Amino acid sequence: MDYNQIFNTRLEDLREEGRYRTFAPLERLCGDFPKAIYHAPDGSSKTVTIWCSNDYLGMGQNKVVLNAMKKAIDDHGAGAGGTRNISGTQKLHVDLENSLANLHQKEAALTFSSGYVANEGSLSTIIKLLDNPIVFSDALNHASMIHGMKSGPCEKYIFRHNDVTHLENLLKQADPKRAKIIAFESVYSMEGDIAPIKEICALAKEYNALTYLDEVHAVGLYGAHGGGIAEQRDLLNQVDIIEGTFGKAYGLMGGFITGSKSVIDAVRSFASGFIFTTSLPPALLAGALASVEYLKTSEIERARAHSNAKYLKQKLEGNNLPYLKGNSHIVPLIVGDAKCCKAVTDILLRDHNIYVQPINYPTVPKGTERMRLTATAAHRIEDIDKMVDVLATLYQEHDILSLKTGS
């Protein structure tokens, strides 16, 4: 059997469908975000503007964060030294988790190596400890949440995206004596819309269900202290477990959950993805703590990011470009064809020094391929103007709208 041939055939299928993913080697320029140096395969390089970064507030280059990380390296060295259980717990872990618990007005918090691991480890563990509960999952939940549900086998029902009526119909049919979990996100990153958190929490209370809310695209960016959509809408006390990340608006990497002491301690004690993973190093912990604390008081970055997102939407609207009109900072621009989406992003990079990745199946359904645009706090008005002007020309010259409408 020719194993390599099997793999190569699968890869060729991806290329034929226009879904083969290529990495663009970027050299971020400290102090000049969203600019970066793109290193092309032919050995050449050029400055580009990044339009798909999750560093929504530019905190990855904030001096407060950088100084905290540099000091942590000087004070504590590079690595953590082990898992949290075996010499890997730093005082910085405790300080950061206390800060996160305070952020979400919860009793406790727990950090993980990534947001993905936080979701998979927490959900799978909670499901196992509740002994086969019924899980109600939004249709567009992230892959990490789905992974967690599969890792902790359970009876699962998928409710239509943000459809509270459908969710209630499913809850009505469930055994009232069974444990229940409602798992959903606040900001959906591929749609740009926001969940009806208040209504979902009301249903959870009525049907005695636990709520698990993924706020990864909202923490740092929404709420008076960066606590997310739940804080912005004064609903922190209605959500049982909140999951977040340091890898987006906070500008670093790692994940976390907040909740009651009992649920946090249970996940800490039983989650394999937490127990057997080397803990985050001191520099990342210090940077995350500095970023979280900074954004508890600074509104400058949040205001700028939301203002830029609003302006971007207005420009797209004025040029009749088909973006999904969600009410978050994320702006998905529909192309509707995988090959065309890849071609457009290639042209943007090659001819206009604009870097944005195509979003194709399985991340989004076939026929809804898109570019996920993020106007960060660091983008300038002229960056936005240039981006929309170029897009308007490309959509017109290549008749991209006809792909979307099927005409």
Side-chain angles (χ1 to χ4, degrees):
M1 181 177 289
D2 189 339
Y3 292 103
N4 285 329
Q5 182 58 45
I6 294 172
F7 298 136
N8 287 331
T9 299
R10 296 290 186 266
L11 290 169
E12 190 55 41
D13 290 342
L14 274 184
R15 291 188 181 93
E16 182 62 29
E17 294 174 23
R19 296 195 294 115
Y20 181 75
R21 301 176 188 224
T22 57
F23 293 159
L26 297 172
E27 186 179 345
R28 291 193 2 138
L29 302 173
C30 192
D32 201 21
F33 180 72
K35 303 296 183 184
I37 303 297
Y38 166 65
H39 295 274
D42 63 5
S44 64
S45 62
K46 63 179 181 178
T47 301
V48 300
T49 302
I50 301 174
W51 268 95
C52 53
S53 176
N54 288 332
D55 191 357
Y56 301 130
L57 301 178
M59 293 301 293
Q61 300 185 14
N62 183 288
K63 288 185 177 180
V64 172
V65 175
L66 298 182
N67 289 338
M69 297 182 76
K70 292 172 184 176
K71 186 177 187 303
I73 289 177
D74 290 339
D75 290 349
H76 309 296
T83 65
R84 288 289 298 273
N85 188 52
I86 305 177
S87 80
T89 294
Q90 314 280 314
K91 181 179 182 296
L92 284 165
H93 280 102
V94 178
D95 293 343
L96 177 56
E97 287 167 351
N98 286 339
S99 176
L100 293 167
N102 168 267
L103 175 69
H104 286 154
Q105 300 172 26
K106 301 297 183 189
E107 293 179 338
L110 190 67
T111 57
F112 292 80
S113 56
S114 74
Y116 190 106
V117 174
N119 266 338
E120 190 281 327
S122 300
L123 275 170
S124 63
T125 299
I126 292 167
I127 287 169
K128 290 172 184 175
L129 293 177
L130 290 178
D131 192 19
N132 191 33
I134 305 173
V135 177
F136 301 86
S137 173
D138 187 283
L140 296 186
N141 275 342
H142 191 265
S144 57
M145 301 176 78
I146 297 169
H147 187 178
M149 296 170 205
K150 290 181 177 178
S151 297
C154 60
E155 185 178 348
K156 182 176 72 173
Y157 295 94
I158 299 173
F159 60 92
R160 290 186 291 272
H161 178 53
N162 283 346
D163 190 331
V164 178
T165 300
H166 188 213
L167 172 60
E168 182 169 21
N169 289 338
L170 294 172
L171 286 165
K172 285 179 179 178
Q173 298 172 39
D175 183 349
K177 297 179 181 179
R178 295 270 301 277
K180 303 172 189 66
I181 303 170
I182 302 175
F184 60 111
E185 302 180 34
S186 58
V187 175
Y188 286 85
S189 65
M190 293 304 152
E191 308 299 310
D193 57 358
I194 296 176
I197 300 175
K198 181 178 180 180
E199 292 78 3
I200 291 176
C201 287
L203 287 177
K205 184 175 182 180
E206 181 178 353
Y207 292 92
N208 194 25
L210 198 67
T211 47
Y212 183 101
L213 175 62
D214 177 318
E215 287 254 40
V216 296
H217 289 279
V219 287
L221 195 52
Y222 294 86
H225 306 93
I229 300 295
E231 184 194 25
Q232 183 189 60
R233 298 181 177 180
D234 195 24
L235 296 169
L236 287 173
N237 64 343
Q238 301 296 309
V239 182
D240 295 303
I241 303 160
I242 296 177
E243 184 265 352
T245 184
F246 307 121
K248 295 179 172 54
Y250 289 126
L252 294 108
M253 70 170 290
F256 64 90
I257 60 168
T258 64
S260 67
K261 287 182 180 179
S262 58
V263 73
I264 298 301
D265 199 15
V267 173
R268 181 191 72 86
S269 300
F270 290 96
S272 295
F274 172 82
I275 294 170
F276 298 106
T277 298
T278 299
S279 65
L280 292 172
L284 278 176
L285 294 168
L289 178 59
S291 189
V292 170
E293 286 296 312
Y294 177 89
L295 288 173
K296 283 183 180 179
T297 59
S298 178
E299 282 291 338
I300 297 172
E301 295 79 10
R302 280 193 284 273
R304 189 177 298 143
H306 291 303
S307 175
N308 281 345
K310 181 179 179 180
Y311 182 70
L312 172 60
K313 291 177 183 180
Q314 290 173 344
K315 290 283 292 185
L316 293 172
E317 188 85 28
N319 284 272
N320 295 315
L321 292 169
Y323 74 96
L324 297 182
K325 296 175 174 59
N327 47 356
S328 80
H329 62 288
I330 297 171
V331 185
L333 183 65
I334 298 297
V335 176
D337 177 86
K339 291 182 178 180
C340 183
C341 195
K342 179 67 167 62
V344 169
T345 57
D346 285 347
I347 293 171
L348 287 171
L349 181 60
R350 184 188 67 226
D351 299 340
H352 303 283
N353 301 330
I354 292 171
Y355 171 71
V356 58
Q357 274 288 71
I359 305 296
N360 297 325
Y361 177 84
T363 306
V364 296
K366 291 181 180 180
T368 69
E369 290 81 4
R370 65 199 65 175
M371 290 173 280
R372 178 185 171 277
L373 307 179
T374 53
T376 71
H379 281 82
R380 302 167 302 169
I381 292 298
E382 49 263 44
D383 294 326
I384 301 173
D385 288 340
K386 176 184 176 181
M387 180 61 161
V388 177
D389 289 345
V390 170
L391 286 171
T393 299
L394 288 176
Y395 268 69
Q396 183 176 12
E397 288 181 351
H398 298 276
D399 200 17
I400 295 174
L401 285 175
S402 67
L403 293 170
K404 178 178 176 288
T405 59
S407 60

